[in-house]
Amino acid sequence: MLIHPWDAPTDDTEWQQWLATHDFGQLAVNGPSGEPPFVQPLHFAYDPGRGEAVTHLARPNPLWPALVADPVVLLSVVDDYVYVPGPWQAPPEDPPEHGTPTSLYAAVQLRCTAHVVDDPTAKAELLNRQVGHFQPEGGSAEVAPDQAPFDRMLSGIRVLRLEVTGVRAKFKYASHRPEEVQDRIATGLAERDRPRDAEAREHQLRRRGTWPRTP
């Protein structure tokens, strides 16, 4: 993923706060030589304090042999994306039809070392952590070995503990464009008001003035 300096996060807090509310992504696992990667959509629970994400998959999932052979994986999350028509991006001195269309989006990629967890007790602990992330209000029985109702299901899944070893984050929201162009984009998003336009506009307004960066 290309990250221009003006699209980089201002600090780790920016991408961590965004990731805290965006917990569905795609896990890319290297395929066998000459084959494309396995790409698995999934929910996950990221814990910045532990520096890891937790998820689980069904035991019959075809990616397991590839993941065991090469545990270096990439967890990719993309959202708050919009299409920006060319006229919105036209430089102030140019006619609108000379503007270049583009995409605006937020993206975080976590490079991880995957640890497969098969021990029933350890699986239960991590599954409860993941459920607690998505369902803090409770309402579901706790997972525990030899305890109904989920004990018989434990053998049918494998848990993944994804140890984060690197992060690449990008917030592409026209931060380097002239103020007049940024105003035009913000106005256009507000008037168009399609899905994700409000979220993209919030990013764009929030990141105004972050480029050029001060030492």
Side-chain angles (χ1 to χ4, degrees), residues 57-115:
L57 296 169
R59 188 172 289 275
N61 196 298
L63 65 68
W64 290 117
L67 186 143
V68 171
D70 186 355
V72 178
V73 300
L74 189 75
L75 181 58
S76 176
V77 185
V78 180
D79 205 350
D80 302 340
Y81 54 88
V82 294
Y83 174 80
V84 173
W88 295 6
Q89 281 227 124
E93 67 277 8
D94 290 352
E97 59 270 22
H98 287 191
T100 304
T102 194
S103 302
L104 303 182
Y105 58 88
V108 173
Q109 296 179 346
L110 303 180
R111 180 187 174 99
C112 306
T113 299
H115 302 274

Side-chain angles (χ1 to χ4, degrees), residues 144-179:
D146 304 319
Q147 183 175 312
F150 301 123
D151 54 332
R152 290 182 297 175
M153 301 179 187
L154 275 176
S155 62
I157 63 171
R158 306 180 85 182
V159 171
L160 271 177
R161 186 172 61 81
L162 303 173
E163 176 190 356
V164 179
T165 59
V167 180
R168 292 177 59 76
K170 181 175 183 177
F171 294 89
K172 184 176 182 287
Y173 291 103
S175 302
H176 64 303
R177 297 290 180 182
E179 286 193 10

Side-chain angles (χ1 to χ4, degrees), residues 44-69:
F44 63 91
Y46 173 68
D47 186 334
R50 292 184 171 94
E52 65 183 26
V54 175
T55 189
H56 66 279
L57 296 169
R59 188 172 289 275
N61 196 298
L63 65 68
W64 290 117
L67 186 143
V68 171

